[in-house]
Amino acid sequence: MLSVICESPGVLRAQQRDVPVRGNGEVLLRVSRVGICGTDLHIFTGNQPYLKYPRVMGHELSAVVVEAERDSGLAAGDGVYVMPYLSCGHCIACRQGKTNCCVNIEVLGVHRDGALTEYLSVPAQFVHKAEGVTLDQAAMLEFLAIGAHAVRRADVLVGQRVLVVGAGPIGMAAMIFAKLRGAAVTCLDTRADRLAFCQSQLGVDAAVAVGTDDTEQLASLTGGEFFDAVFDATGNIDAMNRGFGFVAHGGKYTLISIVPGQVTFSDPEFHKRETTLLASRNATAADFETVLEAMRAGRIPDQALNTHRMQLAEVPDAFARLLEPGQTVVKALVEC
């Protein structure tokens, strides 16, 4: 089978490997679609803190079942999606239902080889039927679920003012689900094309470009009170630190981003606002169900989000182009 391996930062190779043998309790899958996300781009550029090379990337996937055990509830030919966070089921986090932050977590494409390959064998408990959605849509569930999880973590309410900093796919996912909860959503980003997309395709209420007067613009939009909920999806430490200043008194600040480094803030400012600071990592089965329900109801602009496509064999040569701002990539899907 064809697999694409990231041997080291900036180096992708196509390689022929043996089709995996299905283990006990596993499902053998024929990979259909793989979404490329910021994690994959960080792996390619050498900025992913949890990874060792070489690695087959890819954790946003849909597939078709080739072989499964009879008691798995799956059968050959079923279209499925995979929850790529392989949790242990017995640690302190898993016992609380917080499988997204399992102590012993293994994420496909990060801690173990992922989906940029033709066949994959994974434990059956992480494979779910993609009922009522296409295989294209199923491959976009994971990044949308991350946004849904962050919005759920912040408990966004109807009528609240929400700011999402960083208009990449994860930030867009947070915008979508904040809007679905009835919030007034503002996005802040450096790229005019991303801001325009968020207004035209996601229906955000306001879009502000990073610049010398952005704080004044954000203050003007909120009567000087700033935002009930702020989400950072930039992956930039300076932006993460700066975001504390955009939180209203009594508000919440949710960090979806992860960077190697120290987040710092002014304690007097943090204290007088009684700010709630939250981390948001991955997603749970409930978040995937939230996305599925919205997709089935036609409330996710998935076709607009899928801006680029390529074949698996094209990935080694075409992948680097996804980093070019002129490509205006939102979500690229690889057809396997």
Side-chain angles (χ1 to χ4, degrees):
M1 67 177 184
L2 177 64
S3 300
V4 175
I5 296 94
C6 188
E7 292 186 340
S8 59
V11 181
L12 294 175
R13 303 266 187 229
Q15 186 180 93
Q16 289 294 327
R17 290 183 166 187
D18 293 334
V19 174
V21 176
R22 184 180 66 81
N24 290 333
E26 292 189 340
V27 180
L28 179 62
L29 303 172
R30 175 69 164 88
V31 179
S32 178
R33 303 284 187 272
V34 183
I36 300 300
C37 87
T39 296
D40 303 310
L41 300 176
H42 292 153
I43 292 169
F44 181 73
T45 55
N47 294 312
Q48 218 295 331
Y50 297 140
L51 180 127
K52 294 182 180 180
Y53 299 89
R55 180 64 70 224
V56 176
M57 299 184 297
H59 60 275
E60 303 177 5
L61 71 145
S62 62
V64 175
V65 174
V66 176
E67 183 181 305
E69 293 178 356
R70 289 185 178 182
D71 62 356
S72 68
L74 300 166
D78 285 344
V80 297
Y81 67 92
V82 175
M83 284 191 63
Y85 328 116
L86 308 188
S87 50
C88 71
H90 56 74
C91 71
I92 185 171
C94 288
R95 294 197 306 270
Q96 299 177 73
K98 298 178 180 180
T99 55
N100 58 301
C101 54
C102 167
V103 173
N104 305 301
I105 200 166
E106 287 192 310
V107 179
L108 292 177
V110 179
H111 303 96
R112 59 187 279 178
D113 282 350
L116 284 179
T117 186
E118 292 183 296
Y119 293 89
L120 192 65
S121 188
V122 295
Q125 65 263 41
F126 303 107
V127 182
H128 304 272
K129 291 183 181 179
E131 295 177 325
V133 297
T134 68
L135 289 173
D136 276 6
Q137 289 175 313
M140 289 191 273
L141 286 171
E142 193 269 347
F143 87 90
L144 290 164
I146 290 176
H149 181 74
V151 169
R152 181 164 66 90
R153 285 276 287 152
D155 192 25
V156 171
L157 302 174
V158 173
Q160 286 191 325
R161 291 184 292 228
V162 168
L163 174 67
V164 179
V165 186
I170 298 297
M172 290 183 187
M175 295 175 211
I176 288 168
F177 286 95
K179 287 289 293 181
L180 288 177
R181 283 187 171 225
V185 177
T186 297
C187 60
L188 177 68
D189 198 85
T190 59
R191 287 175 51 175
D193 60 315
R194 287 281 177 89
L195 295 172
F197 183 94
C198 292
Q199 287 186 299
S200 64
Q201 301 298 328
L202 308 185
V204 298
D205 299 274
V208 176
V210 172
T212 56
D213 67 341
D214 56 7
T215 300
E216 290 76 12
Q217 290 186 62
L218 296 173
S220 177
L221 287 168
T222 58
E225 293 181 331
F226 291 99
F227 297 88
D228 302 294
V230 177
F231 297 87
D232 182 90
T234 64
N236 179 286
I237 191 68
D238 292 330
M240 293 165 74
N241 290 336
R242 187 179 183 226
F244 285 90
F246 300 141
V247 183
H249 281 240
K252 297 177 181 178
Y253 188 25
T254 304
L255 300 179
I256 316 175
S257 297
I258 178 170
V259 294
Q262 300 293 318
V263 175
T264 61
F265 53 88
S266 165
D267 184 61
E269 290 297 321
F270 182 78
H271 191 84
K272 77 180 184 182
R273 288 171 168 80
E274 199 178 53
T275 304
T276 298
L277 178 61
L278 298 164
S280 183
R281 186 182 185 191
N282 301 329
T284 66
D287 301 310
F288 277 76
E289 285 297 327
T290 296
V291 179
L292 277 167
E293 182 180 347
M295 270 189 175
R296 291 169 184 145
R299 305 179 77 185
I300 306 292
D302 51 272
Q303 291 187 4
L305 292 166
N306 175 207
T307 55
H308 291 66
R309 303 177 81 88
M310 67 182 74
Q311 300 295 315
L312 181 61
E314 298 171 333
V315 170
D317 293 329
F319 190 89
R321 291 200 293 274
L322 300 177
L323 291 162
E324 299 172 4
Q327 291 290 320
T328 62
V329 179
V330 177
K331 177 57 59 178
L333 289 181
V334 177
E335 298 183 6
C336 297

